[in-house]
């Protein structure tokens, strides 16, 4: 029987993977995902709601009852994705380095990239029919402002808007004279640098997505407000867990647990993954991280696509 790794080994490793996963996931996912440490079944349908847009009113004469509505959206958890790293007996015995921790970053990056690719696949002309800005040449500041204008005309929330562009469009936008002016005078325009990989301009935080698919329409990018796309994640069950009916007397071959990005006060992103750690009889070892998730189009008015004309 294979021996499972002891539980004291994984604390630092797990935190390292979570740290890298949070870093690899742009704020896009933190705004539009419902992360959960609850168990999920593949292809399970999860019901969620998008609240309606409301408005403030003059309450000097008293409070008034205001009806609010919500739109039901069904999300199918159709994606069961994992990343794994295996180490041979020779690798385990030939170095004192912490091999698993060294691979934390690529493991997390692969998980994030898989999720983002599935997120991007939702952004199609059929799902967002009334939202398309066409560019004949390079992406520029004028296009950003036009996208902002169109979203605002459809009553999209001003807070939390995000823009995502493919590599060529992002390169063109960062070379725009107005955007590029941050290098000499960042306070002169509506341009604020956040990090080498993102900046704020025309009411949105812009990110580069080198693997953004064209989705059969030469999609260059999009600007999105909360509620345009909804998603949910969960943690898959594993045969090595306690309480699995019918498997009580079967020896385990892995140590399994759920790891979550939350501190002792419940603060954090809530990103949760299943962790499996295995030490095999032949002296090799393996670590796996997995989750289940799904996406669905929400309020189509809250997303603006940009495509080549």
């Amino acid at each position: 029987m294979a021996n499972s790794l002891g539980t004291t080994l994984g604390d630092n490793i797990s935190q390292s993977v979570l740290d890298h996963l949070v870093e690899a996931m742009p704020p896009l996912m933190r705004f539009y995902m419902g992360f959960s440490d609850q168990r999920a079944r593949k292809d399970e349908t999860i019901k969620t709601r998008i609240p309606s847009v409301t408005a403030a009113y003059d309450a000097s004469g008293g409070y008034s009852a205001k009806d609010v509505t919500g739109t039901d959206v069904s999300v199918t958890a159709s994606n069961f994705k994992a990343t794994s790293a295996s180490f041979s007996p020779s690798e385990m015995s030939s170095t004192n380095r912490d091999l698993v921790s060294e691979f934390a970053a690529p493991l997390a990056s692969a998980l994030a990239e898989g999720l983002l690719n599935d997120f991007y696949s939702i952004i199609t002309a059929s799902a967002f029919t009334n939202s398309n800005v066409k560019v004949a040449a390079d992406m520029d500041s004028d296009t950003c402002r036009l996208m902002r204008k169109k979203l605002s005309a459809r009553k999209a929330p001003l807070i939390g808007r995000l823009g995502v562009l493919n590599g060529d469009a992002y390169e063109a936008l960062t070379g725009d004279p107005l955007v590029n002016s941050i290098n000499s005078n960042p306070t002169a325009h509506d341009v604020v640098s956040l990090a080498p990989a993102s900046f704020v301009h025309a009411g949105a935080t812009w990110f580069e997505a080198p693997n953004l698919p064209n989705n059969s329409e030469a999609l260059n990018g999009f600007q999105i407000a909360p509620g345009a796309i909804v998603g949910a994640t969960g943690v898959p069950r594993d045969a090595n867990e306690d309480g699995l009916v019918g498997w009580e007397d079967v020896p385990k071959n892995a140590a399994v647990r759920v790891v979550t990005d939350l501190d002792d006060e419940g603060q954090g992103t809530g990103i949760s993954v299943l962790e499996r750690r295995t030490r095999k009889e032949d002296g090799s070892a393996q670590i796996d991280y997995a989750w289940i998730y799904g996406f669905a189009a929400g309020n189509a008015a809250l997303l603006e696509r940009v495509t080549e004309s």
Side-chain angles (χ1 to χ4, degrees):
M1 181 186 73
N3 297 316
S4 62
L5 294 172
T7 57
T8 58
L9 173 66
D11 290 338
N12 291 335
I13 296 171
S14 302
Q15 189 56 53
S16 180
V17 168
L18 286 173
D19 289 344
H20 286 297
L21 187 56
V22 171
E23 182 179 350
M25 301 277 283
L28 182 69
M29 292 294 93
R30 302 178 207 177
F31 279 109
Y32 304 102
M33 287 297 297
F35 294 109
S36 173
D37 61 357
Q38 300 300 306
R39 297 304 188 186
R41 298 186 300 274
K42 187 179 184 302
D43 296 324
E44 175 183 7
T45 298
I46 302 169
K47 287 282 190 179
T48 186
R49 291 176 68 82
I50 300 175
S52 62
V53 177
T54 186
Y57 65 94
D58 184 357
S60 57
Y63 296 105
S64 302
K66 300 293 182 180
D67 293 332
V68 293
T69 60
T71 303
D72 287 334
V73 179
S74 296
V75 178
T76 301
S78 57
N79 301 287
F80 182 178
K81 299 292 178 70
T83 55
S84 303
S86 300
F87 307 98
S88 69
S90 176
E91 291 170 327
M92 296 293 289
S93 63
S94 62
T95 180
N96 291 324
R97 303 198 319 270
D98 187 344
L99 294 174
V100 178
S101 290
E102 288 183 12
F103 279 84
L107 286 172
S109 178
L111 270 185
E113 182 177 350
L115 185 143
L116 287 168
N117 288 341
D118 291 318
F119 181 95
Y120 297 145
S121 69
I122 298 293
I123 305 168
T124 61
S126 60
F128 299 93
T129 56
N130 63 342
S131 56
N132 188 14
V133 170
K134 291 184 178 293
V135 290
D138 291 337
M139 181 74 183
D140 57 14
S141 179
D142 289 341
T143 306
C144 292
R145 292 196 295 272
L146 177 58
M147 297 174 79
R148 176 180 65 180
K149 179 180 178 180
K150 294 185 69 174
L151 282 175
S152 296
R154 297 197 296 268
K155 308 300 183 184
L158 296 174
I159 298 174
R161 293 187 186 181
L162 297 170
V164 176
L165 299 171
N166 66 21
D168 290 340
Y170 190 88
E171 180 182 14
L173 180 58
T174 54
D176 178 274
L178 179 59
V179 175
N180 198 37
S181 66
I182 186 175
N183 293 329
S184 57
N185 190 1
T187 62
H189 305 290
D190 179 21
V191 183
V192 179
S193 178
L194 296 180
S198 64
F199 61 92
V200 175
H201 181 57
T205 303
W206 294 89
F207 292 88
E208 180 181 11
N211 296 325
L212 183 71
N214 63 28
N215 286 354
S216 302
E217 63 161 351
L219 181 69
N220 279 0
F222 57 93
Q223 188 175 147
I224 187 171
I229 296 176
V230 295
T233 71
V235 180
R237 289 199 170 276
D238 189 87
N240 291 282
E241 293 181 284
D242 293 329
L244 196 64
V245 178
W247 293 81
E248 295 87 350
D249 300 327
V250 179
K252 300 177 182 179
N253 73 341
V256 178
R257 65 175 176 172
V258 176
V259 292
T260 303
D261 179 46
L262 291 175
D263 60 24
D264 294 338
E265 297 180 353
Q267 301 299 311
T269 62
I271 291 177
S272 300
V273 295
L274 181 75
E275 178 192 77
R276 305 176 78 255
R277 289 173 288 121
T278 309
R279 181 192 297 136
K280 302 179 181 179
E281 289 182 339
D282 63 2
S284 63
Q286 181 167 324
I287 190 162
D288 314 289
Y289 292 94
W291 54 10
I292 290 177
Y293 60 85
F295 296 103
N299 186 344
L302 304 181
L303 185 143
E304 191 69 34
R305 302 172 356 263
V306 57
T307 61
E308 293 180 16
S309 59

